[in-house]
Amino acid sequence: ILKVCESRNLVLEIIPYEDSLEVPWEYLKNFRFRNLFAVLMARNKLLTLQMYADLGNAIEEINFDANYINVRATHHMQSHPVVMLLGELEA
């Protein structure tokens, strides 16, 4: 992500999932990224391929003009899922 960011001004946000099955659209819509690295973090039992796919689709839909998007998922001991966004906002 650092190689593709021209401005070197990065934003870091940790967004909680209010409902573990629903993408947090209201929070995500507040950010439009030119370049983005996103990580979905959740407990083993909560983290599903569908959650990962839904988040990726939402991020791509909101950031349709992005140059670079990378979405990952990992297990974490949080009681509720969260998504970390690290990226360069649109100008």
Side-chain angles (χ1 to χ4, degrees):
I1 187 76
L2 296 176
K3 288 182 180 181
V4 297
C5 293
E6 297 171 6
S7 72
R8 303 290 186 219
N9 278 337
L10 300 180
V11 170
L12 173 67
E13 289 290 329
I14 306 291
I15 299 173
Y17 273 59
E18 300 296 329
D19 177 343
S20 63
L21 299 178
E22 294 293 322
V23 172
W25 280 94
E26 291 306 310
Y27 293 105
L28 291 175
K29 290 191 294 187
N30 294 322
F31 303 98
R32 300 237 184 217
F33 289 94
R34 179 181 359 196
N35 299 298
L36 174 64
F37 176 66
V39 181
L40 172 62
M41 296 178 273
R43 285 181 177 253
N44 291 352
K45 292 180 181 180
L46 295 177
L47 187 59
T48 66
L49 185 57
Q50 187 64 52
M51 281 179 67
Y52 175 72
D54 290 346
L55 176 64
N57 290 335
I59 287 173
E60 287 182 356
E61 185 176 323
I62 292 167
N63 300 281
F64 54 89
D65 281 338
N67 295 331
Y68 177 86
I69 296 175
N70 188 320
V71 180
R72 302 292 174 113
T74 189
H75 298 278
H76 196 276
M77 296 308 293
Q78 297 277 354
S79 59
H80 292 285
V82 297
V83 61
M84 181 198 75
L85 305 175
L86 175 65
E88 179 180 40
L89 295 173
E90 283 185 347

